[in-house]
Amino acid sequence: MSQSKQRSQIIEQLERLDLSDKEIETYLEILDLGKGTASEIADNADISRRYVYSLVEELEDHGFVKVHDYTEPRIIESRPPLEVIDEIVGDLEAVGDLLSRRYDENPDEMITFDVIKSRQTALKQLRGMIGDAEEELFLVAPKSTFDELRPALSEAIDRDVSIYLLKTAGNRQDLIENTEQYEGAATVVRHWGEPTPFVLARDNRAGMIGDHDLIAGSRPEADSISVVERRLTTALFGSYVSGFWQMGEEIYLAPPRDLPLTYHQIRPAAIQAILHVARDQPIKATATAVPLNGNRKRKITGDVVEVIQGLVAPTTNDFPLEYGLKLQIGADEVRVGGEGAFLEDYRALDITLHE
């Protein structure tokens, strides 16, 4: 087989791996060299040195090359092709197994992951998730990020979304003295002085987690991961609340919203309930609920006599995911939880708070 025909076949196969023409050309030059500097690769491929760095970053992400950052200038080296192919095949098989299991469990809900490497892309993704929020948002972020996301957060508050914000790093005294910045942009705000990873969880349906330095803009090569999958996002919230939220100091609490309010999740209902109860405002709750010892849904209404929650001080739950209401219905007291309830008497499908 002639070298030109062999090269054409290689290019054709690499295109099937979603590599661009320039990425393929650069990769083949690195293969021919074995290893080399960006200048050498740029000269051989007849492209600019700056463009080489961008292409090499993509090739490194795909696993085709490795970059020796400890040398000056940096050395780019091709990885053994069979080793690369083995990894690609292994990754595809692993993804295939995951997708098959997921499809068998619930064909209507798929897992999606995105690895994000730029701050602007991360901010765009965060704004999109905030814009999609229907009932609640949890956000762990430094001050600069809050400032940039504030317009999107304000729009979410206008849609009656409950927003729980943990501001990390920053000057505590400055944050406490300027709490007016949170009005119309958050429901509950806490502060913790440590530069923690940034986290967003939306409606138990989607979330992001990433390096604090990426979102703060201090280390551009840091990564973040975007997740869309109910159970993984629930786990993200569980880690967020049990890990970071409890370390923060409460510095802002929004006034309660006007009633009636209807929710399909128990947590935002519990938080609005506690805001009213904290102001000695008696409220009732009406829920479409299913008893845990049965399967027929019914309407229940009662006075809210206790709120179980872990986001507003003082917290009243025993573990991070425990949220609910205790209602007085006639002579009986019953506990109402949300999706996944197992300690309560009822699991609420929707719940309305009213005076």
Side-chain angles (χ1 to χ4, degrees):
M1 184 186 297
S2 67
Q3 284 192 344
S4 62
K5 187 173 182 179
Q6 184 185 56
R7 185 181 179 90
S8 295
Q9 287 185 348
I10 291 172
I11 290 172
E12 183 181 343
Q13 295 303 316
L14 288 174
E15 285 174 343
R16 296 178 66 181
L17 295 176
D18 203 30
L19 294 183
S20 68
D21 291 343
K22 281 297 183 183
E23 287 169 352
I24 292 171
E25 184 180 345
T26 304
Y27 175 55
L28 293 179
E29 291 299 336
I30 298 170
L31 268 181
D32 291 340
L33 283 171
K35 64 174 72 173
T37 65
S39 296
E40 292 171 333
I41 296 166
D43 290 340
N44 284 13
D46 195 24
I47 55 178
S48 71
R49 181 176 172 182
R50 178 176 296 179
Y51 194 19
V52 165
Y53 282 122
S54 174
L55 294 169
V56 165
E57 182 179 33
E58 292 297 324
L59 290 170
E60 187 181 30
D61 288 344
H62 285 294
F64 286 95
V65 302
K66 54 184 175 182
V67 180
H68 300 285
D69 291 316
Y70 53 83
T71 62
E72 187 58 36
R74 288 185 289 180
I75 299 295
I76 297 108
E77 181 180 5
S78 61
R79 297 182 60 206
L82 289 179
E83 182 179 298
V84 174
I85 297 303
D86 283 345
E87 285 189 6
I88 292 172
V89 171
D91 289 344
L92 289 173
E93 288 176 346
V95 170
D97 288 342
L98 283 172
L99 293 179
S100 295
R101 287 200 298 270
R102 183 59 182 163
Y103 182 79
D104 290 340
E105 291 171 4
N106 186 354
D108 296 323
E109 186 176 5
M110 300 298 288
I111 304 172
T112 66
F113 293 95
D114 290 317
V115 178
I116 299 167
K117 292 183 171 291
S118 102
R119 181 174 189 269
Q120 289 308 311
T121 303
L123 288 172
K124 181 179 178 181
Q125 187 93 339
L126 286 168
R127 290 189 184 100
M129 288 190 176
I130 293 168
D132 290 338
E134 296 176 357
E135 292 192 348
E136 67 173 3
L137 272 172
F138 298 87
L139 179 63
V140 182
K143 179 183 184 301
S144 59
T145 307
F146 169 75
D147 293 341
E148 290 175 274
L149 295 178
R150 195 184 192 287
L153 294 171
S154 295
E155 290 178 8
I157 286 288
D158 290 342
R159 299 194 307 272
D160 285 337
V161 176
S162 296
I163 297 176
Y164 317 110
L165 169 68
L166 176 63
K167 295 187 78 171
T168 58
N171 182 281
R172 173 184 176 276
Q173 197 60 35
D174 177 62
L175 295 174
I176 293 174
E177 291 175 355
N178 295 283
T179 55
E180 67 277 0
Q181 64 186 298
Y182 311 122
E183 294 175 6
T187 306
V188 188
V189 182
R190 287 193 175 196
H191 171 253
W192 188 27
E194 299 300 320
T196 65
F198 79 86
V199 180
L200 180 141
R202 168 186 70 80
D203 293 324
N204 273 350
R205 294 183 179 275
M208 283 180 68
I209 186 166
D211 196 302
H212 171 275
D213 293 338
L214 171 73
I215 206 69
S218 54
R219 188 158 64 89
E221 71 274 16
D223 291 347
S224 71
I225 296 176
S226 169
V227 180
V228 180
E229 204 274 342
R230 178 181 290 275
R231 284 169 296 181
L232 292 177
T233 308
T234 301
L236 187 64
F237 164 75
S239 299
Y240 158 68
V241 173
S242 60
F244 302 141
W245 185 264
Q246 301 301 333
M247 301 298 295
E249 172 192 4
E250 189 174 291
I251 58 175
Y252 175 78
L253 203 58
R257 296 187 181 130
D258 292 337
L259 301 179
L261 290 167
T262 299
Y263 295 96
H264 295 87
Q265 300 177 74
I266 193 65
R267 197 160 44 225
I271 297 310
Q272 277 304 310
I274 199 66
L275 294 180
H276 282 272
V277 169
R279 295 194 174 201
D280 294 324
Q281 298 171 353
I283 58 172
K284 288 180 177 290
T286 297
T288 305
V290 178
L292 264 62
N293 59 359
N295 55 18
R296 180 172 295 181
K297 64 183 180 182
R298 64 184 69 171
K299 284 278 188 183
I300 58 172
T301 299
D303 296 324
V304 176
V305 293
E306 186 180 344
V307 181
I308 299 93
Q309 57 82 38
L311 292 173
V312 175
T315 60
T316 54
N317 57 358
D318 293 324
F319 55 91
L321 295 178
E322 185 186 19
Y323 286 81
L325 302 176
K326 185 178 286 187
L327 306 183
Q328 185 76 42
I329 303 177
D332 299 324
E333 283 189 354
V334 301
R335 288 185 60 177
V336 181
E339 184 180 7
F342 62 96
L343 293 175
E344 294 79 6
D345 303 298
Y346 288 91
R347 173 173 59 87
L349 305 178
D350 61 58
I351 190 161
T352 299
L353 305 177
H354 46 93
E355 294 178 359

